[in-house]
Amino acid sequence: MKVWLPKLVARAPFTVHTKLIGAFFAIVALLIIFGLVVIQVLSGINRRSEELSQLRRKVGAFRQLQHDTTAQIYGVTSALLSPEERMIESALRQLHEFRYDLERLQFVTRDEVELFGRIKIEHEQLIQMITNVVELTRAQEYKKANDLRLTKIVPLADTLERLTNEMVNRAEADMEAKVDESNRAHMTSRWVVIGFAVGSIGLAILLGYAVSSSLMGPVMLMDERLRQIASGDFSKHVEVPNRDELGTLADNLNRMNNELRDLYQQIEAASRHKSDFLSNMSHELRTPLNAIIGYSEMLTEEAEDRDQKDFIPDLQKIRASGRHLLELINDILDLSKIEAGKVELFPETFDVKLLIEEISGTVQPLIEKNSNILAINCADNLGDMYADITKVRQILFNLLSNACKFTELGTITLDAVRDCSEDAAWLSVSVTDTGIGMTEEQMEKLFQPFSQADIQIARKYGGTGLGLAITRQFCEMMGGDIKVRSEFGRGTAFTMRLPMAAPHPEGDIVSLIASDGSSKSA
Amino acid sequence: MRNQKANGWNRRKFLGGLALTGAAAMIGLRPEIALAAVEPPPETRTIRLRYWDPACWAPFYLAEPFLREEGFTDIRYVAVPTTEFPDAYKKNLIDLSCGFSVVDMYHLEKEHSPHKFLSGFHVGCYALIGSDRVRSVRDLKGKTVWAGSLEYGGPHLFFSAIVAYVGLDPRKDIKYVWVKKDEALDMFRDGKIDALMSFPPGPQELMAKGIGRLLIDTNVDKPWSQYFCCMMGGHSDFIKNNPIATKRALRAILKSIDLVSREPAMAARELLARKIVKQKDEKYVIQALKEIPYGRWREYNPEDTIRFYALRMRDTGLLKTNPQQFIDQHTDWRFINQLKKEFGITAW
Ligand SMILES: Nc1ncnc2c1ncn2[C@@H]1O[C@H](COP(=O)(O)OP(=O)(O)O)[C@@H](O)[C@H]1O
Ligand SMILES: [Mg+2]
């Protein structure tokens, strides 16, 4: 039931709005029925209590009649004992009362005509007898009067008493039956009320559950699906049983998924083509460029040999331009390789300090070009590093060459430290310069391919805007990162962090960390 | 022992049978006999009647000649003590019975005994006798009482109704001793018991000896004297399968009641002759049979007795069914209503 009911609600071909209103009205209808049942029960209780009080009235009337019968016999006996007119009068008076009792009885026993008929006959006989006795007493025929009293009136009164007793018993038995009926009715109405209450609550919960899960289920499915789409998974469709607005929404989501998937595939293909084209192009360009550079070097040597010094500066310019072009092409090739996911890491163990010394040698001409000073601060505990040395070298070279490029008559400082945090050893290198610096705005654009701080800078300093993009990609590939701090007109500091031990191609990382243990503790 | 008694009964030829029929003729019951002749014969010639020791059931024991007149040839008396009464019906050992209405009612509901009330039998006969320390029924609160030798027997149930009628709780307010009758009489004389509830011959003997005072005489004291004490009943199947036999048997027993009512001394002698009562009790039995108003069956409505006792028993929690329901389920007045007309009764 847990599953089929929400499904049923979902499949119902009505709008969510209609379904919600429907559930609401179902609950309201139940409440109304519940109210009606309670009213019914209450009116039953009311009716029974009325019937009971009617029975009580009956019993009262019977008892009154019995009492007056006894009083009558007593009256007659007294009249006989002291036959004064006053006594006789009082006995006759009681006869009237008697008639009144009978009328009352007739009123309260409308449902027991037969028994009342018998009582009435007996009573009329009794009244007749009493009248006779009274008359005999008046005529002073006491003996006859007393005989009549003993032989007729007393047995008649007995019978009458029994008859009225029977009526009392009947009334009491009726009361008992009513009590039973009342108890039964109480039990049933209690169960009915409990049943209705439980039923209503149950139904309300059930309806609430069914409606909400028929709404929430699809919403959650679609949410999950959207999450997957966001992470680039277009392989599935969301399936909901709903035939309402949510069903339509799910259909639209699936359609959107398909469109996005197609679009993504097209973009992917285009990107792949671009990368392929770039790498092909670079390769095709590099071959003639290398030839140009080679020949320009050869020509320079030849010009020196033949002592034709006039050509040398031109040839050197050709060679420099060629080298610049080659660098540019290499950068583009690197970037397209990265984008195509074709870059591989070849980690090896090397001495960090040696690497830094080597690079400082390489960048020396760049330093001198703008009359800068290079300061290198290497921590003593740098030790060995396990990483792709070419990429590390390229990163440091990029940072240093940028610093040289944007600084004049300043100082470029390289700080290399080993820091052990997050359970691993890191190499942290900062390249700080005292050059032109960057504004907040300029910094925001950093690390994007082909992006330079602004057009003026591009014109003044040249460059392609690829260096930092590649640098960051390399850093991240090796499990590290790069950050920048800069103040416009004051200088810039780039800090990159790389793990000392790149994940080993064979997965053997433990030995390296173990060998580093000493330096770590130091 | 019961079988022995029953066999003893069967072996014994009912010598007085003919003489009683003669007596019946003498006291003018012939018109009914004539009526019986034009009716179809009974569906069965065999009838099994319950008997036990109460003297008040005399008309039942003396009904044999009337039953023969009604066409029954095989008349058996089966001894059934109170404790085995519901079983006797359940095991189908008896066809007709008479018994104290309250006990029968109790068994009908409690044991689902398969029988129905058919008619009234007699009024009164039980008496509640108190010691000198007891002036009224309400004085019995906290006192020790003998109400029969077994719980839920006739005396106990009747006593419960009597004390409940004046607001005592028969279960909590009274201490009972459950001993044999003779032992109870001795204890009463010794002042170890404050009241006795008994049917004849017990109360008569005590009163005659001037021991104790009569608190309630159900023969004359209202409301008890206004209702039947013992009533007649029959096996439901017997009634259903043999309606004519049931009516004829009922007629025979009613005649027998009239006979006992007119000739109590003769009836007492018959009971002695059959050893239903002990010789030493003779004069109390005669007295009891004289005092019991047997003629009342013509005046009292049997249904009202059931109704009255059902009300009283419900008061004490001895009966769960309400009176009308009980009457609907456990009584069948068709036969007595027909016979009522035959006997010219208009009282109810
Ligand atoms: N040390 C630095 N000082 C000031 N600006 C810098 C520095 N390094 C990089 N930049 C800014 O970042 C831009 C991008 O640098 P990069 O990616 O190396 O490209 P390119 O050097 O070819 O211009 C530079 O054009 C420059 O505006
Ligand atoms: Mg650069």
Side-chain angles (χ1 to χ4, degrees), chain A residues 263-277:
Chain A
L263 209 62
Y264 187 81
Q265 279 167 356
Q266 285 168 15
I267 291 170
E268 223 176 26
S271 158
R272 207 170 41 244
H273 291 151
K274 186 191 82 182
S275 300
D276 287 353
F277 170 78

Side-chain angles (χ1 to χ4, degrees), chain A residues 398-399 402-403 405-407 433 436-438 446 451-454 457-458 462-469 486 492 494:
Chain A
N398 275 346
L399 295 180
N402 277 351
K405 195 159 109 182
F406 299 107
T407 311
D433 62 53
I436 60 169
M438 282 175 279
L446 282 185
S451 87
Q452 288 169 306
D454 58 45
I457 291 175
T464 55
L466 288 175
L468 282 180
S486 183
T492 308
F494 284 93

Side-chain angles (χ1 to χ4, degrees), chain A residues 276-450:
Chain A
D276 287 353
F277 170 78
L278 281 176
S279 65
N280 287 343
M281 268 291 281
S282 312
H283 184 71
E284 294 299 319
L285 285 173
R286 261 200 296 194
T287 317
L289 250 182
N290 279 325
I292 290 170
I293 293 167
Y295 277 109
S296 67
E297 279 173 359
M298 254 167 59
L299 281 176
T300 312
E301 279 167 25
E302 242 168 75
E304 278 172 354
D305 288 351
R306 293 195 193 166
D307 210 19
Q308 293 173 318
K309 302 242 191 271
D310 305 349
F311 296 110
I312 290 175
D314 290 340
L315 286 171
Q316 275 176 339
K317 273 178 193 150
I318 292 171
R319 184 173 156 259
S321 296
R323 279 205 169 275
H324 186 204
L325 201 57
L326 188 63
E327 267 168 33
L328 185 71
I329 289 166
N330 279 343
D331 277 356
I332 291 176
L333 192 63
D334 279 347
L335 201 68
S336 64
K337 267 191 190 164
I338 291 169
E339 280 181 359
K342 283 179 186 163
V343 174
E344 279 175 73
L345 294 175
F346 301 101
E348 61 189 283
T349 306
F350 58 90
D351 186 321
V352 180
K353 203 164 183 175
L354 281 180
L355 176 72
I356 290 173
E357 274 164 15
E358 179 209 313
I359 293 173
S360 68
T362 316
V363 295
Q364 204 53 46
L366 294 176
I367 300 275
E368 283 159 13
K369 194 176 159 197
N370 282 346
S371 316
N372 292 318
I373 301 167
L374 175 65
I376 292 177
N377 305 315
C378 278
D380 293 338
N381 65 347
L382 284 179
D384 282 350
M385 182 174 181
Y386 179 75
D388 187 327
I389 188 169
T390 323
K391 307 255 167 6
V392 178
R393 187 188 284 129
Q394 200 171 334
I395 292 167
L396 292 179
F397 183 80
N398 275 346
L399 295 180
L400 283 169
S401 69
N402 277 351
C404 294
K405 195 159 109 182
F406 299 107
T407 311
E408 261 177 78
L409 299 167
T411 310
I412 293 149
T413 318
L414 185 146
D415 295 286
V417 294
R418 176 197 178 106
D419 78 74
C420 298
S421 61
E422 296 160 35
D423 296 333
W426 298 84
L427 171 67
S428 172
V429 182
S430 309
V431 177
T432 315
D433 62 53
T434 54
I436 60 169
M438 282 175 279
T439 60
E440 284 286 317
E441 213 179 318
Q442 288 170 337
M443 278 193 284
E444 271 170 25
K445 292 186 207 156
L446 282 185
F447 305 116
Q448 316 271 0
F450 305 105

Side-chain angles (χ1 to χ4, degrees), chain A residues 188-238:
Chain A
T188 21
S189 43
R190 200 173 67 179
W191 285 118
V192 166
V193 168
I194 290 175
F196 257 97
V198 170
S200 312
I201 293 169
L203 200 75
I205 290 173
L206 207 67
L207 276 178
Y209 169 75
V211 170
S212 67
S213 9
S214 78
L215 299 184
M216 282 322 290
V219 168
M220 269 144 74
L221 280 177
M222 286 189 268
D223 178 61
E224 172 64 21
R225 190 65 210 111
L226 279 171
R227 230 189 280 276
Q228 289 168 351
I229 290 175
S231 67
D233 174 6
F234 303 100
S235 61
K236 285 173 228 146
H237 274 181
V238 57

